[in-house]
Amino acid sequence: MDIRALTPTYSVSPQIETADLAALKAAGYVAVIDNRPDAEIPPNLQTITMRSAAEAAGLAFFANPVIGGMMTMENVTAQAAAIKEAGGPVLAYCASGNRSSICWALAHAGQMPTDDLIAIPGRFGYQLEGLRGQLDAMAKNG
């Protein structure tokens, strides 16, 4: 696993395996958010398999599939709701961690400075500068 902690309670990573879930639980995570659509991954990593394994490991599991380049406000709202419902440290994963970082940034627009929402994922190579206008607009509109 290549876990990248954006905050003490929200981390992102590239695709995880079912075998990683026990280690996530042992590391203090309480939930996993799957941001990958089933259409882009093999059957052994699809939502139903990952949900079953996560729940067996004692983790809450949230499926919020984000199609690359086609993120919706429903995805952002669902991510924010999952983070809130989890009530503790969350690991969100996708192919690289980028979509999970974007969901986090958009879900926190107006709650944190835009510069931080861009810089924090930037430490891990996620380039969110292109979202600056959208983050600022979302912060302004509450």
Side-chain angles (χ1 to χ4, degrees), residues 103-117:
C103 276
W104 169 81
L106 293 171
H108 289 85
Q111 299 172 30
M112 295 174 65
T114 297
D115 286 344
D116 291 347
L117 295 173

Side-chain angles (χ1 to χ4, degrees), residues 6-26:
L6 301 188
T7 72
T9 59
Y10 188 86
S11 298
V12 300
S13 80
Q15 177 70 52
I16 60 172
E17 305 276 337
T18 55
D20 297 326
L21 295 163
L24 290 172
K25 177 69 174 176

Side-chain angles (χ1 to χ4, degrees), residues 36-87:
R36 292 197 80 182
D38 282 346
E40 68 180 46
I41 49 179
N44 67 309
L45 298 174
Q46 291 185 357
T47 301
I48 193 164
T49 302
M50 296 301 289
R51 178 185 306 280
S52 178
E55 291 173 351
L59 294 162
F61 184 90
F62 300 92
N64 182 23
V66 177
I67 298 171
M70 298 176 63
M71 185 177 299
T72 66
M73 282 310 298
E74 288 79 18
N75 289 130
V76 174
T77 302
Q79 198 86 355
I83 294 165
K84 183 177 181 178
E85 186 177 329

